[in-house]
Amino acid sequence: MPFICENVECRAVLARGQVRSSHEDEGWYFYCPDCKTRNELKDIGVPGGPVELVQPERSDLPHKIIATARPLEDGRYAAQLRVQRALGTKGTYAVEEHWEQLGVFPDAQEAIAHAKSMAIDLLERKA
Ligand SMILES: [Zn+2]
């Protein structure tokens, strides 16, 4: 199994020989040679035995979701959302989709929460 860079904009597929895994207090990791993103690794070897590194399982691909609240002139906030869908292979991620106004809310937290729930619906629907 090769490693796959977790950076949505990179997603490099790396043979194990291409990466240098390192260990520190927080655990194992490697830096992607293409984009320098730090990728976590997990040692699944038996205690005392040889180290066996795998990438921690992700429930899904690392989609990039940016939920924001834009202040309006009347003191309320418009929920905004940008989504980049991660695809499984190098160099391919879907075109960014974005929504300027998903509704208007009295406070910023509510607007962001609304945008996030929209994102979850959206990703589930198209998955
Ligand atoms: Zn990378």
Side-chain angles (χ1 to χ4, degrees):
M1 277 290 286
F3 292 136
I4 296 173
C5 177
E6 286 173 15
N7 177 4
V8 174
E9 279 148 52
C10 174
R11 303 290 297 161
V13 179
L14 305 157
R16 296 203 168 211
Q18 275 181 283
V19 303
R20 222 166 54 89
S21 44
S22 315
H23 185 262
E24 62 179 31
D25 293 347
E26 300 144 60
W28 289 90
Y29 64 92
F30 70 89
Y31 283 102
C32 171
D34 289 357
C35 73
K36 314 293 178 233
T37 292
R38 183 192 154 108
N39 287 265
E40 303 277 328
L41 293 172
K42 205 168 70 173
D43 178 9
I44 56 159
V46 288
V51 170
E52 202 178 323
L53 296 174
V54 295
Q55 284 190 284
E57 294 246 335
R58 303 282 169 197
S59 53
D60 53 9
L61 290 164
H63 303 297
K64 195 193 238 176
I65 294 167
I66 303 151
T68 47
R70 182 168 53 89
L72 299 173
E73 278 175 14
D74 64 7
R76 295 185 301 165
Y77 293 86
Q80 290 181 307
L81 176 65
R82 285 157 59 200
V83 172
Q84 260 181 20
R85 235 180 272 278
L87 305 178
T89 23
K90 178 180 170 108
T92 51
Y93 55 95
V95 181
E96 184 172 290
E97 300 163 66
H98 58 98
W99 295 265
E100 291 302 324
Q101 192 154 320
L102 289 169
V104 173
F105 295 84
D107 77 79
Q109 291 308 318
E110 258 180 74
I112 291 170
H114 177 73
K116 276 188 185 156
S117 71
M118 285 288 297
I120 289 161
D121 281 359
L122 204 88
L123 293 169
E124 277 178 356
R125 185 149 27 97
K126 289 200 190 167

